[in-house]
Amino acid sequence: MPELPEVETIVRDIRPALLGRTFAKVSLSHDDVLRGVTRRRLIRRLTGAKVVDVFRRAKHAVIDFGDHRLIVQPGMTGSLVVHRHALDREQAKYAVLRVLLDNRRELVYDDVRRLGTLLLLDRLGWARYTAAIGPEPLDPGFTPERLGEALGKSRQAVKKVIMDQKYLAGVGNIYANEALFAAGIDPSKPAGKLKPEDHRRLHAEIRRILQAAIASNGTTVRDYRTGTGDEGSFQLELLVYGREGEPCRRCGTRLAGTHAIDARTTVFCHRCQS
Ligand SMILES: [Zn+2]
């Protein structure tokens, strides 16, 4: 699933094309991506709505119309692109949400497997929704102490805690693996056992890696595309994710892989991480 850097890239790409534009025509191919809203209501509320802001929160792209907000959480096979020209038949094949803008450009949420979700919330609904998500790791208010507070309360594996959106926004499997390797921390270590110096290192590495990934327009392992339909390039800089069985770039030891922590693939170095 696209994580913070990928959704940030999408938002940076589509924002200039959407700001101030009106949704002239809205269509939806399938209802199964909707959460808490019917197709009828979604189309009624979006048609004629004017975009006042576009921003990211956690792994969501948020399109703000003032009194309500469309929240898109792209799935593993999801992309959100503003097309300059009408879609051809091949491009339209997996388009789930299609929005014709008042300048004839088209905003399209495309999702082959439809694992992404669309929500429509009013101001109060949004306030509740965002309050349930943890701090943004790139915000100045996110400090090593704040990370330490979240970790200190938990007996769960540190990797699980930093991927839990209640405690930290936007970090998923790729960046959790990378940050823990860079910080030299064993992903299975109980979060509460980390020391303040570990909090400082992990905090610094989470931020450094997310920023570097944004600078590379995110990580394209398979389907992820930017808001202009291009691939990201951070996959070239990954040190552990997807490298199980390959030599550690730091010490040469074979990287280990496990599914025991959270049923996702965790890759780590026995020697560099403790
Ligand atoms: Zn190593």
Side-chain angles (χ1 to χ4, degrees):
M1 175 193 291
E3 303 180 31
L4 186 155
E6 289 75 40
V7 181
E8 181 68 27
T9 302
I10 291 170
V11 164
R12 286 182 186 189
D13 286 343
I14 65 173
R15 189 171 195 271
L18 292 180
L19 278 186
R21 302 261 60 112
T22 298
F23 281 18
K25 188 168 170 247
V26 180
S27 62
L28 185 78
S29 72
H30 293 79
D31 293 356
D32 53 5
V33 294
L34 299 179
R35 296 290 178 276
V37 61
T38 60
R39 172 202 298 257
R40 229 180 112 101
R41 184 161 167 267
L42 182 89
I43 291 174
R44 202 178 57 223
R45 295 305 297 266
L46 293 186
T47 306
K50 187 177 170 181
V51 179
V52 299
D53 198 7
V54 182
F55 61 94
R56 179 194 58 76
R57 171 76 169 117
K59 303 173 191 173
H60 311 291
V62 183
I63 302 172
D64 185 1
F65 305 97
D67 55 348
H68 52 286
R69 287 166 176 184
L70 174 68
I71 294 106
V72 181
Q73 177 163 24
M76 200 171 66
T77 58
S79 68
L80 195 58
V81 174
V82 178
H83 294 268
R84 289 176 173 272
H85 307 289
L87 299 190
D88 60 35
R89 188 175 299 204
E90 196 51 38
Q91 284 174 315
K93 204 168 165 190
Y94 298 110
V96 179
L97 179 73
R98 295 181 64 168
V99 178
L100 188 66
L101 303 172
D102 55 348
N103 62 354
R104 310 302 293 169
R105 288 195 182 182
E106 197 172 0
L107 168 70
V108 178
Y109 178 63
D110 201 273
D111 196 343
V112 179
R113 290 175 61 191
R114 296 198 307 282
L115 300 168
T117 55
L118 304 178
L119 269 103
L120 186 73
L121 296 173
D122 60 14
R123 280 172 177 277
L124 186 63
W126 170 253
R128 284 196 192 117
Y129 192 81
T130 190
I133 306 174
E136 285 289 334
L138 298 179
D139 277 0
F142 177 66
T143 59
E145 292 72 31
R146 190 133 186 227
L147 176 65
E149 275 167 36
L151 295 172
K153 282 182 275 189
S154 180
R155 269 186 272 179
Q156 289 199 309
V158 54
K159 180 181 178 234
K160 250 180 133 163
V161 180
I162 61 172
M163 284 174 61
D164 187 331
Q165 301 299 296
K166 281 202 299 288
Y167 299 117
L168 189 58
V171 174
N173 199 35
I174 295 177
Y175 300 104
N177 272 292
E178 294 297 316
L180 288 162
F181 174 75
I185 297 168
D186 178 346
S188 66
K189 192 166 183 169
K193 295 222 163 135
L194 267 61
K195 308 233 158 41
E197 66 196 66
D198 300 319
H199 303 154
R200 273 195 295 280
R201 245 179 15 255
L202 184 55
H203 172 267
E205 293 300 345
I206 288 172
R207 287 167 61 117
R208 182 184 66 77
I209 287 166
L210 293 175
Q211 270 155 350
I214 292 170
S216 298
N217 295 319
T219 299
T220 297
V221 180
R222 284 178 44 193
D223 301 289
Y224 158 71
R225 295 293 180 273
T226 69
T228 52
D230 298 308
E231 293 192 0
S233 61
F234 196 70
Q235 62 277 13
L236 305 172
E237 295 171 52
L238 298 174
L239 296 183
V240 284
Y241 180 84
R243 298 193 64 245
E244 180 180 352
E246 293 178 40
C248 171
R249 298 241 197 254
R250 200 171 282 162
C251 76
T253 304
R254 254 171 72 100
L255 293 174
T258 176
H259 287 84
I261 298 174
D262 53 8
R264 310 283 305 273
T265 308
T266 300
V267 183
F268 63 103
C269 177
H270 279 298
R271 210 163 140 195
C272 296
Q273 293 170 261
S274 59

